[in-house]
Amino acid sequence: MTLTRLRAVDVIAVVTAIAWLAAQLIGMDRVAEAGGFVPARVGGLVDLPDALPVWLTPFSATLIHADALHLAFNLLMLVWTGRQVEQALGPKLFVALYAVGAVAAAAAQWALGPSSLAVMIGASGAISAIVAVYALVFSEQRVRAIGPIPPHVVRALWLGAAWIGIQLLIGLGFGMGGSGIALGAHAGGFVAGLLLARPMLRWRFKHR
């Protein structure tokens, strides 16, 4: 009997789920303060002595989710799009894409409000990079170009808008009015995926 090799996307999903369960035991507020990304910390505008180093928080934030629905929806999108993206890129490039998406998400959120004390948590930004690559590579829906924007980019933008829209609806459903959704993070991760899709695919097939 041979064991099937674990996919990187499945490992990320399992670790994220375990991290959420652990946060329930430790205390969500405490975990979010320690591991969430706070833009104001980047410029030293605020000091949180009990928090992880600021450079680590774009990654640790991906493991922290506000509630079970937030976690479940993110993991659904991660596994649904991630398995095919990993098949195209390979596990190493897939993990690199996820990590760059997390950093790009934090960077975009910081750019929108460098002095913000709002704590950014969730894997949505990193997953947005995966969704962008999935949209460019695997979507079969035919769309027309919009001016100079080619059809494959239009298709990716439509999926990105739908992804963010669903996140907003989740926020409205929990009475947040969308205020709890880090739109900058989604956009940052998505743009990172759009920019990295073709270079990563070229690298993948050049080194097979």
Side-chain angles (χ1 to χ4, degrees):
M1 177 180 177
T2 58
L3 295 177
T4 303
R5 186 178 63 180
L6 289 174
R7 297 184 181 94
V9 63
D10 295 332
V11 173
I12 292 173
V14 169
V15 170
T16 303
I18 292 173
W20 183 80
L21 291 173
Q24 304 311 300
L25 299 175
I26 298 171
M28 179 55 66
D29 291 342
R30 179 180 175 187
V31 171
E33 183 177 339
F37 174 76
V38 179
R41 291 189 65 205
V42 175
L45 299 179
V46 65
D47 182 30
L48 299 175
D50 296 329
L52 294 174
V54 65
W55 63 267
L56 187 60
T57 55
F59 307 108
S60 59
T62 65
L63 299 174
I64 306 169
H65 290 79
D67 49 60
L69 182 59
H70 186 202
L71 172 71
F73 183 73
N74 276 353
L75 293 187
L76 175 64
M77 286 297 292
L78 172 63
V79 174
W80 177 47
T81 60
R83 286 187 172 182
Q84 295 190 65
V85 171
E86 183 178 348
Q87 186 176 1
L89 297 180
K92 292 181 180 179
L93 285 178
F94 178 84
V95 172
L97 175 64
Y98 191 83
V100 172
V103 173
Q109 196 67 15
W110 172 84
L112 288 180
S115 61
S116 174
L117 296 176
V119 181
M120 186 192 82
I121 59 173
S124 303
I127 296 171
S128 293
I130 307 299
V131 171
V133 175
Y134 175 86
L136 285 175
V137 178
F138 293 105
S139 178
E140 296 179 356
Q141 183 179 4
R142 294 185 179 181
V143 297
R144 294 181 178 180
I146 299 178
I149 306 176
H152 66 278
V153 175
V154 174
R155 183 170 60 240
L157 292 175
W158 273 116
L159 183 56
W163 161 242
I164 293 174
I166 292 172
Q167 294 278 331
L168 285 171
L169 288 174
I170 292 175
L172 290 170
F174 278 85
M176 297 186 297
S179 61
I181 305 300
L183 295 180
H186 287 78
F190 198 79
V191 170
L194 291 179
L195 295 176
L196 289 174
R198 291 175 182 268
M200 282 189 165
L201 285 170
R202 284 197 294 266
W203 176 272
R204 164 71 166 165
F205 287 104
K206 183 179 178 181
H207 293 83
R208 292 191 69 169

